[in-house]
Amino acid sequence: MNAVELRKQFPILNQQVNGNDLVYLDSAATSQKPLAVIEKVEDYYRRYNSNVHRGVHTLGTLATDGYEGARDKVRSFIGANSTEEIIFLRGTTTALNVIAQSYGAANVSEGDEIVLTPMEHHSNIIPWQQLAKATGATLKYIPLQEDGTIDLQDAEETITDKTKIVTMMHVSNVLGTINPIKEVAEIAHRHGAVMVVDGAQSAPHVKIDVQELNCDFFAFSGHKMLAPTGIGVLFGKKELLEKMEPVEFGGEMIDFVGLYESTWKELPWKFEGGTPIIAGAIGLGAAIDFLQEVGLENIEKHEHDLATYALEQLSEIDGISIYGPKHRAGVVTFNLDDVHPHDVATVLDADGIAVRAGHHCAQPLMKWLNVTATARASFYLYNTKEDVDRLVTGLVKTKEYFGDVF
Ligand code: 7TS
């Protein structure tokens, strides 16, 4: 894999920001888009923009084929058995809310337990808090080890016969921790609970096989994996989805509508009320083609190498605190002594380097780290060692700049 060649296919990366070549280190927030995806979406709007699943006209058929073809690409991308298990929604947040509101409301009641971890993104905490409030269930957290990983023995002790749902991020958007989903799913299943996986930070970066992970639900967002915003995926095992009620009602998702009663379409459409995200899904299909051509194994290795290099280089900087485990995905979160992360990000931006600063939608994790905010550099297939070098130079400059002030 040649990142220098690859990045040429991302028009946005070929520009100067504040007088410097752009270094984009914020792909965990959202990824950039290759020309192949941009052109695929443009082609849909130029040539066959039309609504799907209704009518026989030619453009409508092309749009339906594009939309449903993308569903099959997603199915194969995550190793699902059937397209009935692939539901197009707005993103990870929506998918997790649908699981909580549909599966959760029907299967969780007073005295039951929902198990999660303190490292979760807000999108994988609040839907469960709301469910717990509505049902009288209890939230339980598997504690974190000092390095920001979880211990399977703690998972064994936290998950009990009262547990109905275990939910966990696959990869942390802050620490880069890679969670042992398969092993935790085995514990959950032994107690009769279902395993929900927030795959927002794993699906773009590592090969996903939902059979191998043995999870019951898996949620991810297109925009973090080269596709447009507004498209995401909920995978669910067919036997669970079949029993679940939709959470949105209206056009597209119905079979028969009477004045007082209605029935729903079969899977997956019963969960896709209203005109679906057609251009987004077609864009996601093109993104999957692109990722598969590069090879997920190559992407994973490239990011792991970049993260290892970044950890080596950054740890040379005096007064830096780096959070998270040694073995990690392509995310490096840090603070510089006496400099607020927003100031770090502002000085880096002046050099054309984009990093994220803030709580990263993980306030409970910030509390655990005993900080209010951090700076974060996150990598993707288009980043290079030179990008890491620019980051290091930028941080040394930041320290000098603020050293003069204090
Ligand atoms: N789960 C994880 C692990 C995430 O990293 C994010 C977004 C979400 C869920 C929500 O995804 P959405 O597409 O529904 O918004 N994470 C980040 C981030 O780290 N910086 O900006 C968004």
Side-chain angles (χ1 to χ4, degrees), residues 26 28-30 91-94 96 121 123 169 171 173 198 200-201 221 223-224 356 360-361 376:
D26 197 18
T30 198
T92 308
T93 304
T94 312
L96 293 167
H121 186 279
S123 295
M169 57 195 349
V171 169
N173 63 321
D198 170 353
Q201 299 293 349
S221 300
H223 72 94
K224 294 188 197 290
R356 179 163 178 201
H360 314 289
C361 300
R376 178 188 70 185

Side-chain angles (χ1 to χ4, degrees), residues 249-275:
F249 303 90
E252 280 281 332
M253 51 75 67
I254 49 84
D255 181 23
F256 169 81
V257 178
L259 282 178
Y260 300 102
E261 284 293 332
S262 302
T263 55
W264 322 139
K265 258 192 195 159
E266 64 271 38
L267 288 174
W269 303 290
K270 76 171 178 183
F271 288 103
E272 295 179 1
T275 295

